[in-house]
Amino acid sequence: TAPLRSYPAGFVYIFLGLYYATGRGSDVRLAQHLFAGLYLLHLLLVFRVYCRTRKVPPYVFFFMCCASYRIHSIFVLRLFNDTVAMAILFLAVNLFLEERWSWGCLIFSLAVSVKMNILLFAPGLLFLLLKRFGLQGCIPKLCICALLQVLLGLPFLLVNPVSYLSRSFDLGRQFQFKWTVNWRFLPEEVFQHRAFHAALLLAHLAGLGLFALRRWHSRSKGSILALLKDPAQRKPPSPPFAQIVFVLFSSNFLGVCCSRSLHYQFYVWYFHTLPYLLWCTPTAKLAHMPKVLLLGVIELCWNTYPSTVCSSLSLHVCHSLVLLQLWLGTAAPLDAPPARRPAPLPKKVQ
């Protein structure tokens, strides 16, 4: 068994199945049809999350479906594994919203086994598990995630464990400057310098810490260390729908903002989370248009090939504006209870 390069074992199993299903890769049209079906399933899972939270106006769904040439290309023309990983991730988010945390952790780990960018959601998931179950109850859920990784990677771990772990989960991977979408305005020697990579990592960790302390955790509920206690001593024991989605999406967005390089297929990492991040706070109707404009500028940046100094700077400005809104305006909606489902009708009426 040869060592994998930059991808965990789940990727091998899924794409090996696609390889044989398409006649050893010869039937490209069938592969595109399969990925088109995956795209529709992905949208269904995304819309289900948005319908549960009720934060985004319906007209925004049109932009998610029809307004992104780059996303259509990533799913149906390029057949990237990023799309498979994100579809599985949104299935996990739906399970978390249904309070099926064990199954959600299992599916989340499956998404990680397809591509490791899903780990950008992991800090937010850890926070939610601690909030829901406390430290003692969180450990079994983490064991589920770890056990699946071991089982999927077992054929490779038995042959060459060091190579599998170092190559499949390569956190020190060097990216080529010619493909970067977000750092084109920097000189190439700065882009490749390890000090720059270390600074981005520190910025990412600092952002996660600040959001965990000030935005994910309500100061009215005491110290964040209270999350380590038995959840029976806290009220409410379960995070509301809005907080589950906000914590996961903002955790991923912070990672995207601090990424050492964003390639064109990486757009799918956060495209379907952007509307929620922009509309998750109370907004006057007149403020909707600037948010739509912001989505349009981000789309334009990702459709500029090759990237330019202007497009990469514009992308950072847009990311900064999204972060600023999340930092200044998220306290109120996170403390609100989830939307109630309509009460069932009496039997006589039914």
Side-chain angles (χ1 to χ4, degrees):
T1 305
L4 304 183
R5 181 180 179 182
S6 302
Y7 298 116
F11 162 81
V12 176
Y13 301 134
I14 291 175
F15 276 78
L16 186 63
L18 288 171
Y19 174 73
Y20 286 111
T22 56
R24 297 180 179 272
S26 60
D27 193 344
V28 178
R29 183 174 295 274
L30 175 59
Q32 289 181 318
H33 288 164
L34 292 173
F35 271 80
L38 175 69
Y39 186 25
L40 294 176
L41 177 61
H42 177 86
L43 286 174
L44 176 63
L45 294 169
V46 171
F47 290 171
R48 193 171 186 274
V49 170
Y50 277 66
C51 289
R52 293 294 297 274
T53 56
R54 303 181 185 182
K55 294 289 184 182
V56 178
Y59 68 83
V60 178
F61 291 172
F62 169 81
F63 294 96
M64 284 195 287
C65 290
C66 306
S68 179
Y69 165 80
R70 180 64 63 187
I71 291 297
H72 295 164
S73 174
I74 292 170
F75 267 95
V76 183
L77 296 180
R78 309 299 179 181
L79 314 182
F80 284 113
N81 63 325
D82 306 73
T83 61
V84 179
M86 290 304 299
I88 299 173
L89 180 278
F90 271 98
L91 175 58
V93 175
N94 276 273
L95 290 169
F96 294 144
L97 293 177
E98 295 287 348
E99 285 287 311
R100 299 178 180 179
W101 291 93
S102 296
W103 281 106
C105 288
L106 184 72
I107 299 302
F108 179 87
S109 184
L110 179 61
V112 173
S113 76
V114 177
K115 191 155 187 179
M116 59 183 294
N117 72 283
I118 304 299
L119 290 174
L120 296 178
F121 292 89
L125 177 58
L126 177 61
F127 177 89
L128 292 172
L129 290 175
L130 288 172
K131 185 176 181 64
R132 178 65 179 84
F133 300 101
L135 179 60
Q136 186 174 356
C138 175
I139 293 175
K141 311 301 179 185
L142 298 179
C143 290
I144 291 174
C145 297
L147 181 60
L148 182 66
Q149 294 300 319
V150 173
L151 291 176
L152 292 175
L154 195 59
F156 306 97
L157 292 169
L158 292 175
V159 175
N160 196 338
V162 175
S163 179
Y164 173 73
L165 294 174
S166 62
R167 299 292 294 276
S168 300
F169 298 93
D170 185 7
L171 297 177
R173 180 184 175 190
Q174 291 289 333
F175 293 99
Q176 295 183 0
F177 182 68
K178 66 178 181 179
W179 295 115
T180 186
V181 177
N182 57 333
W183 297 114
R184 177 67 64 178
F185 61 90
L186 293 177
E188 185 172 358
E189 56 272 18
V190 175
F191 173 80
Q192 296 290 359
H193 203 283
R194 292 193 177 275
F196 175 62
H197 302 165
L200 289 175
L201 177 61
L202 290 175
H204 186 196
L205 294 176
L208 289 172
L210 288 171
F211 266 73
L213 291 170
R214 292 299 190 88
R215 289 297 173 256
W216 299 349
H217 181 71
S218 175
R219 285 176 289 180
S220 63
K221 297 178 182 178
S223 170
I224 195 171
L225 296 178
L227 297 177
L228 303 178
K229 298 179 181 179
D230 187 339
Q233 302 175 10
R234 296 187 252 116
K235 294 181 180 181
S238 300
F241 295 154
Q243 187 180 35
I244 292 175
V245 179
F246 176 80
V247 170
L248 290 173
F249 285 7
S250 59
S251 173
N252 177 66
F253 185 70
L254 285 167
V256 169
C257 291
C258 299
S259 292
R260 288 188 291 130
S261 182
L262 293 176
H263 295 178
Y264 284 95
Q265 68 269 28
F266 297 177
Y267 189 24
V268 77
W269 290 6
Y270 75 121
F271 170 79
H272 294 98
T273 71
L274 283 172
Y276 184 87
L277 294 175
L278 284 170
W279 271 274
C280 66
T281 56
T283 307
K285 293 183 178 180
L286 293 178
H288 285 212
M289 187 55 66
K291 295 183 179 182
V292 174
L293 179 61
L294 196 60
L295 289 176
V297 174
I298 292 175
E299 178 69 21
L300 181 62
C301 294
W302 282 96
N303 279 284
T304 302
Y305 177 81
S307 61
T308 63
V309 171
C310 181
S311 68
S312 60
L313 277 173
S314 299
L315 186 63
H316 278 286
V317 170
C318 292
H319 286 176
S320 299
L321 291 174
V322 176
L323 277 178
L324 183 63
Q325 172 176 296
L326 295 176
W327 181 256
L328 294 179
T330 59
L334 291 188
D335 290 336
R340 295 181 178 179
R341 297 180 180 177
L345 295 175
K347 292 184 177 180
K348 293 183 179 180
V349 178
Q350 291 177 342

